[in-house]
């Protein structure tokens, strides 16, 4: 009872401390004044600046999170160097201002540029900090948070055709938010995730210090390698290992419809893809397609692959382990590793690789997504149930990502990312639409939740695992206690994302950021009783 009253009292104090900012111009002004010692023109944008919305929009990948119902920041600050980041953190902490941090803007729920908690808030946008320093002698690269992975791949390939980076498939992902959440890509079966290849990092802590691996300590360095963005500090840059790639790799994209035996082929894929040679990564993109010349739709399963080797060895592997796909030499292209990046990201071969330097995404839409991890093959009857439900939705997409190889050999506790041995594949569900209407959003959310419920019988259980970089604010919502901000609710999504690593993340958080300065809807919470 006493602690309950104390909590109420403390909450009131927090509210009171916010009252001084009841006017939004005041928070903008105070923060701006505090930053003014930097004398950095064109780095501070308020909504009255004609360039504000363009800047807010530039990297917002999910258009849903720009809809009017999502709160907008009072200002955006674009630091040019690490000292600017330190100053922003120190000012915000002193003034009690809530900050959000954005690097590539690909957060699935937009928590990097919108906030439903503690308004008002200001966005620190890292997009002007994108230096990349490749060091072939050291077999490593230092890359700043605002760079996209596409720029990173380009700069590495520019120096060497036999070095690559193990990170995401989508080339417009920001290094700052992406790597810290795990970062898988088409070389994960060979080299693991981005975090498995992270050597060092520079971060700004809640007290404004700039720390590297040695000064932050191994616990914090463990936590940021998978604990995801916005919980521990501002990632200023990462040092990543360069991994060897052959000068010639092979890619293919082969689609099979239901009429072409897709169900049986996909049933077989589940049994072979996690056990292929580590050099081979074959994912499956599943979506409805029109049957040409009719008004009917069918399901297309597109096998999209990278092989770290030449076409002849690939054909031998496919012929012996997966003849059902019927892969032919003419389906395959031998390319450089950088060209394979473009291919897997879905760019037509007419787009030159230097497009990656623009940092632009291949597409934008309104979407809701979720993820699952599958440990036992889904039977053909289950696949048929999927097709039936898929054909009822406008633009659903599933991406099945094979595990196994290196992923199964890294212990679950070596980084916060726990989805390792025993996982056959990860499934991502996406439903997208093209109008900024609440009704459309409601309708597609409803379908997605229905579909996710159906998939429960085939997914991992206790916990039902999910990938933190595919942030899903639905997780934990169904819990009976109803308090969406409670520690118990966090334990629910926390176990889904991190399994037994969650409590260690909480412990590190409680020691490293005891005031919970870095927070968002799904940031790592501090231990109850340690708050404010
Ligand atoms: C189209 C698309 C394709 C994707 N493909 C892949 C893929 O192939 N592999 C994969 O692993 N994931 C993939 N993802 C998921 C992606 O890894 C996450 O969305 C990731 O968080 C994006 O990082 P960002 O910097 O672009 O996003 P942001 O929205 O900028 O940030 C994401 C989170 O990190 C925080 N954050 C941002 N910058 C910093 C910083 N400098 N320091 C601390 N915290 C920060 C934010 O507050 C937010 O919580 C994809 C996402 C999309 C939309
Ligand atoms: C807006 O952006 C344009 C082009 O980048 C620039 O010339 C102009 O000065 C900016 N306006 C303001 C008010 O910052
Ligand atoms: C920003 O995005 C919103 C939502 O998609 C749109 O309504 C608006 O016109 C965009 N503004 C600019 C300047 O790009
Ligand atoms: C595939 O294997 C079969 C026998 O297992 C063989 O007859 C055929 O030539 C092989 N095809 C290729 C392309 O390797
Ligand atoms: C928790 O979230 C659900 C779903 O968004 C919402 O309906 C409910 O009102 C929330 N409860 C609290 C106490 O905020």
């Amino acid at each position: 009872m006493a602690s309950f009253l104390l909590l109420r009292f403390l909450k009131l104090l927090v509210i009171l401390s916010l009252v001084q900012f009841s006017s939004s111009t005041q928070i903008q002004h105070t923060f701006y004044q505090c930053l003014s010692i930097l004398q950095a023109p064109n780095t501070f944008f308020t909504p009255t600046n004609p360039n504000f919305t363009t800047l807010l929009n530039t990297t917002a990948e999910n258009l849903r999170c720009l809809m009017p119902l999502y709160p907008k920041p009072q200002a955006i600050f674009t630091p040019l160097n690490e000292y600017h980041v330190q100053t922003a953190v120190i000012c915000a902490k002193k003034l009690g201002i809530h900050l959000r941090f954005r690097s590539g803007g690909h957060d699935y729920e937009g928590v990097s540029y919108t906030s439903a908690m503690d308004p008002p808030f200001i966005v620190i946008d890292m997009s002007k900090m994108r230096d990349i320093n490749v060091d072939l002698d050291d077999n490593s690269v230092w890359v700043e948070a605002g760079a996209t992975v596409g720029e990173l791949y380009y700069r590495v390939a520019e120096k060497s055709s036999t070095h690559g980076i193990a990170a995401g498939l989508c080339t417009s992902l920001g290094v700052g938010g992406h790597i810290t959440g795990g970062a898988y890509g088409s070389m994960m079966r060979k080299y693991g995730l981005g975090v498995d290849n992270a050597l060092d990092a520079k971060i700004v802590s809640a007290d404004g210090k700039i720390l590297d691996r040695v000064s932050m300590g191994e616990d914090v360095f463990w936590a940021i390698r998978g604990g995801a963005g916005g919980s521990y500090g501002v990632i200023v840059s990462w040092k990543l290992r360069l991994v060897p790639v052959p000068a010639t790799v092979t890619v293919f994209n082969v689609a099979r419809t239901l009429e072409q035996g897709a169900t049986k082929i996909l049933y077989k894929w589940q049994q072979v893809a996690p056990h292929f040679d580590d050099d081979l990564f074959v994912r499956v993109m599943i979506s409805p397609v029109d049957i040409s010349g009719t008004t009917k739709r069918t399901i297309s399963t597109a096998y999209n692959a990278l092989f770290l080797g030449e076409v002849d060895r690939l054909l031998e592997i496919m012929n012996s382990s997966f003849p059902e796909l019927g892969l032919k030499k003419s389906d395959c292209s031998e390319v450089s590793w950088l060209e394979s990046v473009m291919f897997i990201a879905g760019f037509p071969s007419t787009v030159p690789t230097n497009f990656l330097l623009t940092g632009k995404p291949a597409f934008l839409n309104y979407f809701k997504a979720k993820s699952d991890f599958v440990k036992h093959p889904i039977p053909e009857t289950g696949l048929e149930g999927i097709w039936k439900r898929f054909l009822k939705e406008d633009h659903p997409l599933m991406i099945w990502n094979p595990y196994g190889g290196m992923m199964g050999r890294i212990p679950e506790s070596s980084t916060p990312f726990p989805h390792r041995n025993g996982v056959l594949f990860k499934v991502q569900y996406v439903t997208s639409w093209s109008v900024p209407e609440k009704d459309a959003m409601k309708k597609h959310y409803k379908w997605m939740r229905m579909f996710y419920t159906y998939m429960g019988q085939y997914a991992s259980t206790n916990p039902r695992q999910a990938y933190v970089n595919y942030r899903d604010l639905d997780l934990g919502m169904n819990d009976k206690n109803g308090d969406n901000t409670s520690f118990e609710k966090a334990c629910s999504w926390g176990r889904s994302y991190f399994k037994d690593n969650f409590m260690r993340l909480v412990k590190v958080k409680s020691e490293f950021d005891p005031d919970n300065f870095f927070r968002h809807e799904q940031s790592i919470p501090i231990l109850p009783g340690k708050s404010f």
Side-chain angles (χ1 to χ4, degrees), residues 219-326:
D219 276 343
V220 176
F221 190 63
W222 175 85
I224 62 170
R225 276 176 298 156
S231 285
Y232 294 94
V234 194
I235 309 240
V236 173
S237 52
W238 278 106
K239 183 184 186 183
L240 303 173
R241 178 186 293 128
L242 305 180
V243 299
V245 297
T248 302
V249 302
T250 307
V251 291
F252 67 82
N253 192 52
V254 165
R256 297 288 182 256
T257 62
L258 295 185
E259 292 68 26
Q260 294 167 322
T263 308
K264 285 205 154 44
I265 300 172
L266 189 60
Y267 183 61
K268 180 69 186 287
W269 174 91
Q270 300 178 73
Q271 296 160 68
V272 292
H275 308 291
F276 280 151
D277 188 295
D278 292 3
D279 288 336
L280 179 55
F281 172 89
V282 183
R283 64 172 180 162
V284 198
M285 326 268 285
I286 303 168
S287 57
V289 287
D290 293 333
I291 303 180
S292 62
T294 74
T295 54
K296 282 200 186 143
R297 297 201 301 173
T298 183
I299 298 290
S300 162
T301 55
Y303 294 81
N304 182 238
L306 169 68
F307 179 63
L308 295 168
E310 292 175 6
V311 67
D312 291 337
R313 187 159 69 95
L314 168 64
L315 287 173
E316 273 168 35
I317 295 174
M318 291 295 284
N319 194 24
S320 67
S321 346
F322 195 21
E324 291 81 356
L325 185 62

Side-chain angles (χ1 to χ4, degrees), residues 94-135:
K94 191 173 79 186
L95 298 166
I97 291 171
H98 181 47
L99 295 184
R100 291 292 167 114
F101 299 88
R102 183 168 79 171
S103 291
H106 279 48
D107 191 283
Y108 274 24
E109 302 278 10
V111 310
S112 50
Y113 53 93
T114 181
S115 165
M117 59 194 278
D118 307 343
F121 67 101
I122 286 176
V123 167
I124 308 302
D125 183 305
M126 304 292 286
S127 60
K128 292 200 177 134
M129 294 179 62
R130 48 207 312 160
D131 277 2
I132 299 169
N133 234 310
V134 181
D135 185 345

Side-chain angles (χ1 to χ4, degrees), residues 19 35 56 60 66 68 92 98 122 145 155 278 308 316 344 349 383 385:
V19 168
L35 291 178
L56 179 65
L66 289 176
H98 181 47
I122 286 176
R155 292 302 178 201
D278 292 3
L308 295 168
E316 273 168 35
I344 300 272
S349 59
L383 298 178

